[in-house]
Amino acid sequence: MVYGAIDQKSSKWYTDLAKVLDGIGDTISKYNWLITDSEVYSQDSEYDKYDTKPYYIKKGNEYVRIPCPEYVFLSGEELKDIVNKGHAQWIWAVLSGFEKNIALEQILSQPLPYADGYKGFWKNPLTMQHPLAEVEIVPWDSSLVLVISKHKEIVDQFRAAFPDSEDLTDYNN
């Protein structure tokens, strides 16, 4: 079974990922994290490497595509350090948590998770995008954050930290 929560009230305009990770506590360190489909805004250029959504800038009369990685893969400790290092606005992303014994090659053998357009967030029964993931955290269009997991206690911990959040299955009904 898959469990989920949606929080539309705690973070208006963007997701403060540091607060979300604090809300699920030590869970972060138990997993390695694949970050995909991410759009992160910060005045600190250190965060540019966590953008995985292609974007364009105008040069003269044309738009030039800015190269970016398809994904970022980090340990839970690295992820915590990054989000606690400075202030960044997570606009879009899927952060998928995997047991540490699962190799990156095995993870990449499946399609990369994406935020915008994934219908599984909005219908029951809930589904995880990546079949090997244990938890997915989804900052969604600066307006809400989703936490979806195979482990009820992770979702319960998030809901306790964010009392205005709702059960995603109930929300979808």
Side-chain angles (χ1 to χ4, degrees):
M1 183 161 190
V2 175
Y3 306 90
I6 180 171
D7 182 18
Q8 301 180 85
K9 298 178 181 169
S10 300
S11 296
K12 299 258 184 204
W13 314 118
Y14 69 95
T15 298
D16 184 338
L17 198 53
K19 288 181 183 177
V20 171
L21 297 185
D22 283 345
I24 57 175
D26 292 334
T27 296
I28 300 309
S29 299
K30 293 178 184 175
Y31 299 112
N32 286 328
W33 293 87
L34 181 73
I35 302 173
T36 55
D37 199 28
S38 58
E39 184 177 342
V40 183
Y41 175 77
S42 176
Q43 292 184 2
D44 182 348
S45 62
E46 173 72 16
Y47 284 92
D48 291 351
K49 63 186 169 194
Y50 305 109
D51 265 328
T52 63
K53 272 187 185 261
Y55 62 97
Y56 298 82
I57 60 171
K58 189 170 185 176
K59 285 195 173 182
N61 290 332
E62 28 181 273
Y63 285 90
V64 177
R65 185 179 188 273
I66 301 302
C68 59
E70 275 190 286
Y71 65 89
V72 176
F73 191 67
L74 304 166
S75 71
E77 294 79 12
E78 291 170 316
L79 179 58
K80 279 177 24 178
D81 287 346
I82 288 160
V83 299
N84 290 325
K85 184 190 273 186
H87 185 72
Q89 299 174 359
W90 290 76
I91 299 164
W92 289 99
V94 178
L95 294 93
S96 303
F98 299 89
E99 296 285 346
K100 291 193 176 216
N101 64 339
I102 299 176
L104 179 59
E105 294 76 27
Q106 201 175 355
I107 294 167
L108 295 177
S109 70
Q110 301 291 323
L112 294 176
Y114 57 97
D116 191 16
Y118 178 64
K119 292 180 170 70
F121 297 141
W122 313 116
K123 64 182 182 178
N124 295 330
L126 298 174
T127 57
M128 303 281 294
Q129 279 193 73
H130 199 293
L132 301 174
E134 298 294 316
V135 60
E136 292 178 339
I137 300 169
V138 184
W140 200 87
D141 193 23
S142 303
S143 61
L144 57 91
V145 65
L146 303 168
V147 174
I148 300 168
S149 179
K150 295 174 182 173
H151 306 282
K152 186 177 186 308
E153 61 273 9
I154 293 173
V155 174
D156 289 346
Q157 192 172 3
F158 175 80
R159 298 244 7 244
F162 294 90
D164 288 333
S165 65
E166 300 173 63
D167 180 279
L168 187 54
T169 299
D170 292 344
Y171 177 86
N172 288 342
N173 284 332

